[in-house]
Amino acid sequence: MSVALAGAAFTGAAAALLSWAAHPFDEATEDRFSAIVFGARGIAPIGYAVLAFTLGTVVGLLVRRTLPAMAVTGVAVCTASRSPAPPAPGSAASARSARRTAGR
């Protein structure tokens, strides 16, 4: 358990450092919800680290082989982190989504 906490703490520190360093860029572009930016800043990297550790542990217990478990975990975490980003506020996709939810 301490390995997972250490990994999450390290990932959180790296994400905080990246968020601090990229703050001027974020103010200039005002695009915090693109797929790359959202997954690299805030608490999302900590969630990905905990997901990878937990999934790797479970897959390792089920597969009982190190390299196949690492491969399955790597593919699963990369797939989870590549989920489509939500539409940017003010975009046409966002307007369509708002109209759909308003009609309910």
Side-chain angles (χ1 to χ4, degrees), residues 22-62:
H23 183 69
F25 173 77
D26 291 340
E27 284 185 352
T29 61
E30 296 180 1
D31 184 24
R32 297 182 324 199
F33 293 107
S34 68
I36 294 173
V37 173
F38 182 76
R41 306 213 183 113
I43 62 170
I46 299 170
Y48 288 137
V50 171
L51 170 72
F53 182 83
T54 305
L55 187 64
T57 302
V58 170
V59 171
L61 286 171
L62 296 175

Side-chain angles (χ1 to χ4, degrees), residues 1-11 46 49-50 52-54 57:
M1 187 64 167
S2 63
V3 175
L5 290 176
F10 178 76
T11 304
I46 299 170
V50 171
F53 182 83
T54 305
T57 302

